[in-house]
Amino acid sequence: MSTRTVAAPVVDVKRVTTQSLQEMKAAGIPIAMLTAYDYTTARILDRAGVDVLLVGDSASNVMAGHETTLPITLDHMIYHAQCVVRAVQRALVVVDLPFGSYQGNSKEALISAIRVMKEAGAHAVKLEGGEAVVPTVERIITAGIPVMGHLGLTPQSIYRFGTYKVRARDEQEAEQLRRDALLLQQAGCFALVLEKIPAVLAAEVTASLSIPTIGIGAGVHCDGQVLVTHDALGLTTDFNPRFVRRYARLDQVITDAVQAYIQDVRDRAFPSDEESY
Ligand code: KIV
């Protein structure tokens, strides 16, 4: 088993802002981002010191059991975001605009983003896509709402891609991604998620931008990293792409605990006198 330095729990509750992320990039301090969908987990992650909590539309998979991110609705996302925002004292809370809530036109997108900010108290929104979403990004930012972009493997387009394979391996797609990244920066995005693209390309894009990149399956040279918390903690077991590192095996921890509980109930070993009134 490898040893690693454990980050000290957060005592300083100074809020992380989009500006802080910019400063972290400038200072070469990697940004740690994880997903969160509920109050209890968000509270633990925030107190552990994670910089950004993403209320990802991956909630569609890990919370609701859907095969893709497409079914989750704006109302569902707002519910999850409300739970997370209530828990958080320090992290920047970014909320995914779900499929169908922003692609129609930029006015519809702005209304969705305003709902997320107003009803959930989120700090920023994230949306997927490049050149095609630039007018939408600009319109949302004009209303004072920070936007995080998302390029590479964009799961809301899975039926167009037809596969979850690494994106931008060929030069044409890589060139489009470079262009998209610059356009999103020019449109005012405060950061970009780069998902499942070659590490060399992610490093090149990261070096070419003044805003931070957050990688998932995009190598170590991004300005930060994000994982789905359920994957990182080993709550999910049947999703095993190369980029997931399991920092715990909570499925086993939970199974052992639940089996111990069942045994105690069967044996009338729980509750004890001390646990009774
Ligand atoms: O929804 C999500 O969890 C995401 C991350 C994988 C970046 O978009």
Side-chain angles (χ1 to χ4, degrees):
M1 197 174 160
S2 67
T3 54
R4 74 169 76 88
T5 314
V6 176
V10 181
V11 279
D12 173 10
V13 288
K14 195 162 169 278
R15 278 255 179 220
V16 177
T17 63
T18 56
Q19 185 58 35
S20 328
L21 302 186
Q22 190 69 58
E23 287 162 9
M24 287 174 82
K25 173 163 178 135
I29 302 169
I31 297 160
M33 170 160 136
L34 282 171
T35 62
Y37 321 101
D38 70 281
Y39 174 84
T40 305
T41 313
R43 198 154 185 260
I44 295 169
L45 302 180
D46 187 50
R47 289 178 171 198
V50 73
D51 302 306
V52 184
L53 282 176
L54 172 66
V55 184
D57 58 358
S58 50
S60 180
N61 310 104
V62 297
M63 299 303 287
H66 292 296
E67 201 180 316
T68 72
T69 58
L70 275 66
I72 200 160
T73 66
L74 185 59
D75 285 341
H76 290 142
M77 290 303 296
I78 288 172
Y79 168 75
H80 288 297
Q82 287 168 337
C83 300
V84 169
V85 167
R86 259 178 237 129
V88 168
Q89 289 189 293
R90 176 181 175 274
L92 183 81
V93 179
V94 181
V95 180
D96 262 335
L97 291 183
F99 177 69
S101 72
Y102 64 96
Q103 290 91 345
N105 58 59
S106 63
K107 183 176 175 197
E108 185 191 4
L110 177 60
I111 291 168
S112 300
I114 288 175
R115 279 198 63 198
V116 167
M117 302 298 283
K118 221 177 174 61
E119 296 177 38
H123 308 143
V125 298
K126 172 165 88 59
L127 53 82
E128 297 181 5
E131 206 164 349
V133 298
V134 163
T136 294
V137 169
E138 284 171 344
R139 184 144 188 193
I140 295 174
I141 292 173
T142 304
I145 301 172
V147 178
M148 179 180 273
H150 186 156
L151 294 173
L153 179 68
T154 46
Q156 292 178 13
S157 302
I158 189 57
Y159 290 113
R160 179 162 62 81
F161 295 147
T163 161
Y164 283 99
K165 283 200 194 121
V166 176
R167 303 306 311 178
R169 273 201 194 279
D170 68 74
E171 189 43 38
Q172 198 185 337
E173 195 177 329
E175 191 43 40
Q176 182 65 49
L177 191 140
R178 290 184 195 99
R179 194 165 47 245
D180 288 343
L182 275 174
L183 287 170
L184 288 172
Q185 172 173 280
Q186 279 160 15
C189 280
F190 71 88
L192 288 188
V193 166
L194 299 177
E195 180 163 354
K196 227 172 168 184
I197 62 170
V200 171
L201 176 61
E204 191 194 321
V205 170
T206 299
S208 74
L209 298 178
S210 58
I211 57 170
T213 60
I214 315 281
I216 174 164
V220 75
H221 295 297
C222 294
D223 297 304
Q225 299 293 329
V226 57
L227 281 175
V228 169
T229 293
H230 289 57
D231 298 334
L233 299 184
L235 283 162
T236 49
T237 52
D238 47 5
F239 180 64
N240 290 300
R242 182 203 288 217
F243 64 77
V244 168
R245 186 179 292 182
R246 306 242 185 249
Y247 285 85
R249 288 276 168 187
L250 289 195
D251 65 324
Q252 202 50 56
V253 172
I254 292 172
T255 303
D256 292 347
V258 170
Q259 287 178 344
Y261 166 74
I262 293 167
Q263 197 57 52
D264 282 353
V265 171
R266 301 261 195 272
D267 296 345
R268 296 195 187 282
F270 174 81
S272 64
D273 286 348
E274 293 73 35
E275 289 159 333
S276 304
Y277 298 96

